[in-house]
Amino acid sequence: MSKTLLLTALGLGAALCAQAGDIHGKVTCKGVRDSADAVVYVAAIPGKTFAAPAAHAKMDQKNLVFIPHVMAVLAGTTVDYLNSDAVLHNVFSPDACCDKFNLGTWPQGQSKSYTFKKECAATLLCKVHPEMEGFVVTSPTPYFAVTKADGSFTIPNVPDGAYTVKVWHPKCKPSQKAVTVAGATAAAFEIAK
Ligand SMILES: [Cu+2]
């Protein structure tokens, strides 16, 4: 690479870095034990589409629990559901945004898959074990995060711009707000049951 090319590349790199930042902050879900497992994501951006990831996401069923309890994925992502228990498990969803899919039942060590095509907060249930519940939130953009136990989140590398940012939580009502990203940007959300 010539010196000029290298400098151009470095310059471009610096310019690109300067035009994005993270969205970080806290979700407070009033009236619930903690604000873990809220999903914060940038809503669909007009005129922008994102390629579906080739890699599958994985959700385990172990000791009669969906692990993780809440997962966020980009639209087009295939999620593999592994059964790690010595009993049969099933996965189905009552939600229309994921075609009310039902994957049947399967034994330990095997997995079945479903591809989440569009924005959706899907409840996952198991017909064999009514106490089992998990969630997959499908974001239309690759800019999303799941909150930690203290409600904090960081969505990395969001290009500078004006967005609608949405928040979803298993027990609180969903909400959204306008957020203008210019480098590292703070955003806080207060939601309630
Ligand atoms: Cu089950």
Side-chain angles (χ1 to χ4, degrees):
M1 191 184 283
S2 78
K3 201 173 174 185
T4 317
L5 255 178
L6 182 66
L7 286 172
T8 308
L10 284 172
L12 256 176
L16 285 171
C17 286
Q19 289 169 358
D22 63 34
I23 304 176
H24 60 272
K26 214 164 182 178
V27 174
T28 307
C29 185
K30 285 200 251 173
V32 302
R33 191 162 43 95
D34 63 52
S35 297
D37 286 338
V39 179
V40 186
Y41 64 94
V42 173
I45 304 166
K48 269 216 140 189
T49 54
F50 299 93
H56 289 197
K58 289 185 192 340
M59 194 176 245
D60 201 357
Q61 292 169 287
K62 195 170 187 179
N63 299 324
L64 309 190
V65 174
F66 285 104
I67 302 170
H69 180 54
V70 173
M71 175 184 275
V73 298
L74 170 61
T77 300
T78 299
V79 178
D80 299 336
Y81 295 95
L82 172 66
N83 179 352
S84 290
D85 285 333
V87 294
L88 291 174
H89 281 306
N90 156 257
V91 179
F92 77 99
S93 175
D95 297 306
C97 58
C98 60
D99 314 318
K100 301 186 180 183
F101 73 83
N102 187 335
L103 301 178
T105 54
W106 59 101
Q108 187 168 35
Q110 294 184 19
S111 39
K112 296 229 181 179
S113 307
Y114 177 79
T115 302
F116 290 86
K117 297 162 201 81
K118 58 181 181 193
E119 186 171 357
C120 183
T123 301
L124 308 174
L125 301 166
C126 170
K127 277 194 194 317
V128 186
H129 306 100
E131 71 273 26
M132 290 181 69
E133 191 180 52
F135 302 90
V136 172
V137 176
T138 304
S139 167
T141 68
Y143 312 119
F144 55 78
V146 180
T147 58
K148 297 178 188 163
D150 65 355
S152 66
F153 69 90
T154 300
I155 305 174
N157 295 322
V158 183
D160 284 0
Y163 303 105
T164 298
V165 177
K166 296 188 175 183
V167 60
W168 173 95
H169 185 276
K171 295 192 174 104
C172 282
K173 289 199 184 76
S175 182
Q176 61 182 59
K177 73 190 309 183
V179 174
T180 299
V181 174
T185 301
F189 295 86
E190 268 209 8
I191 51 178
K193 278 184 169 179

